[in-house]
Amino acid sequence: MPFIKLSTNLPVADDTKALIVKSLGKSISLLPGKSETWLMVDVQGGRSLFFQGSDSPCLMAEVKLYGRSDKRNYQALAEAITSLAQESLAIPSSRVYVEFEETPYWAFDGNLF
């Protein structure tokens, strides 16, 4: 049950959002046991984001998931998200942060896992 939120200070057109969601749907499988079936994505464009004192294009990715994974898998997903930011939004890799958060509890349809 992963959740990925991408926030950028650039506007994001609907067709670009669709491509991002499709790409993340494939990339989430880099974490064993995770798939697009349970993936929720939030793409937020036009945010007031500043990095290194500048409003040049930047992106913050938050990846939350039920359970755990290891550093190697997180590295692969971080690379995929960074490449996606470069390819779909022309954001340099040096202006992309990716945060990972693991939780032992997650609920779906009113039921706790």
Side-chain angles (χ1 to χ4, degrees):
M1 281 165 224
F3 171 71
I4 300 176
K5 179 167 79 174
L6 301 181
S7 301
T8 180
N9 53 2
L10 295 175
V12 183
D14 288 342
D15 60 334
T16 302
K17 286 181 184 180
L19 291 172
I20 288 170
V21 169
K22 185 175 181 177
S23 180
L24 291 174
K26 292 177 183 176
S27 297
I28 197 62
S29 66
L30 293 167
L31 301 180
K34 305 302 178 193
S35 71
E36 183 178 32
T37 302
W38 295 100
L39 176 63
M40 185 179 287
V41 176
D42 181 8
V43 180
Q44 299 184 358
R47 307 294 296 174
S48 292
L49 287 177
F50 298 85
F51 180 56
Q52 297 175 330
S54 167
D55 66 351
S56 294
C58 61
L59 181 131
M60 176 66 197
E62 299 171 59
V63 180
K64 300 179 183 194
L65 68 140
Y66 171 65
R68 302 183 63 86
S69 197
D70 64 37
K71 186 176 180 178
R72 182 181 73 241
N73 298 327
Y74 287 144
Q75 177 64 45
L77 185 55
E79 289 171 4
I81 290 170
T82 301
S83 292
L84 178 61
Q86 290 175 294
E87 294 165 12
S88 63
L89 299 168
I91 297 174
S93 62
S94 62
R95 296 194 55 84
V96 176
Y97 272 169
V98 181
E99 173 195 26
F100 295 96
E101 181 180 332
E102 301 170 336
T103 181
Y105 301 105
W106 200 283
F108 167 73
D109 195 21
N111 296 302
L112 188 64
F113 287 85

